[in-house]
Amino acid sequence: MPASLTATAINCSLSAKGRASSTDAMLGVLAEHFAEQDVAVGDPIRIAAHNVKWGVMSDEGAGDDWPAIREQILASDILIFGTPIWMGQPSSVAKLVMERMDAFLDETDDAGRMPSTSKVAVAAIVGNEDGAHHVSSQIFQALNDVGWTIPAVAACYWVGEAMGSVDFKDLDHRPRKVTQTAKMVAANAAHLARLLKQAPYPG
């Protein structure tokens, strides 16, 4: 029996309100397929609903909610990084999260390994405009720079018609390609996370 794994999902939507978003919907798709791989995914953390301060340290002082979120992320084997596309780019909230992870560069162990070393990251991306490949390239390069491992086929995305009015959460039927991709993202990420858990990077 393969080892059980855990994943933390973050939602980098701009809205702090609890209403369901298309990013939530895509995170839900991935959670379904991660469950098939014996990966437990907790409820998504909506970053905008917390007081995550701007900065590049792991703790930006009194009232900063990032330290607790950071702890939860690093306690898991897999990070599911969810973001909408805005102006062809990751949301500003997504960039805030990536900037806060910059602190990992100075938090290495005796072997030079960052806190995220031997942990896997994938992306859930939605938007009604072009840009999914650009967004995934920005996310993955930034996450890789701060220690995360990116598996093959690591992004599950959906983009609607440019300037369109239909969101992913409003679709009557889930596109077959989204399901196929989500299944592969989950399988590849779980496989890689198990390998790294058994044999971490030496540093």
Side-chain angles (χ1 to χ4, degrees), residues 8 10 55-60 66-79 81 96-121 139 141-150:
T8 294
I10 60 172
V56 293
M57 304 294 290
S58 284
D59 190 338
E60 289 290 347
W66 175 249
I69 295 172
R70 173 189 179 279
E71 182 178 0
Q72 186 171 339
I73 289 171
L74 292 175
S76 298
D77 304 293
I78 300 168
L79 168 64
F81 197 110
L96 165 62
V97 170
M98 292 186 284
E99 288 164 356
R100 292 302 299 268
M101 289 185 186
D102 186 74
F104 292 177
L105 295 166
D106 295 322
E107 297 173 351
T108 55
D109 63 13
D110 292 340
R113 295 172 297 193
M114 289 176 269
S116 50
T117 298
S118 300
K119 296 180 183 294
V120 172
I139 292 171
Q141 183 61 61
L143 293 178
N144 186 254
D145 282 347
V146 295
W148 297 93
T149 297
I150 311 302

Side-chain angles (χ1 to χ4, degrees), residues 4-192:
S4 296
L5 299 171
T6 58
T8 294
I10 60 172
N11 180 342
C12 295
S13 293
L14 297 181
S15 174
K17 297 178 181 177
R19 66 176 182 272
S21 68
S22 287
T23 304
D24 282 319
M26 185 61 80
L27 289 170
V29 172
L30 282 170
E32 288 177 21
H33 292 286
F34 270 114
E36 296 170 358
Q37 300 297 324
D38 200 21
V39 178
V41 182
D43 292 336
I45 301 170
R46 188 176 290 231
I47 300 297
H50 298 271
N51 182 32
V52 177
K53 295 187 176 183
W54 295 95
V56 293
M57 304 294 290
S58 284
D59 190 338
E60 289 290 347
D64 185 14
D65 289 341
W66 175 249
I69 295 172
R70 173 189 179 279
E71 182 178 0
Q72 186 171 339
I73 289 171
L74 292 175
S76 298
D77 304 293
I78 300 168
L79 168 64
I80 309 173
F81 197 110
T83 183
I85 300 169
W86 284 107
M87 298 181 178
Q89 303 179 63
S91 73
S92 57
V93 175
K95 293 181 180 182
L96 165 62
V97 170
M98 292 186 284
E99 288 164 356
R100 292 302 299 268
M101 289 185 186
D102 186 74
F104 292 177
L105 295 166
D106 295 322
E107 297 173 351
T108 55
D109 63 13
D110 292 340
R113 295 172 297 193
M114 289 176 269
S116 50
T117 298
S118 300
K119 296 180 183 294
V120 172
V122 298
I125 301 167
V126 290
N128 281 327
E129 55 188 90
D130 198 9
H133 284 181
H134 176 65
V135 167
S136 63
S137 69
Q138 287 192 305
I139 292 171
F140 291 149
Q141 183 61 61
L143 293 178
N144 186 254
D145 282 347
V146 295
W148 297 93
T149 297
I150 311 302
V153 191
C156 191
Y157 65 84
W158 176 87
V159 288
E161 182 181 1
M163 306 302 290
S165 58
V166 177
D167 292 331
F168 179 69
K169 64 181 175 63
D170 299 323
L171 296 178
D172 293 329
H173 302 286
R174 184 184 302 169
R176 180 171 56 87
K177 280 294 183 184
V178 169
T179 298
Q180 289 177 342
T181 302
K183 189 177 184 70
M184 187 171 292
V185 169
N188 288 357
H191 176 73
L192 182 55

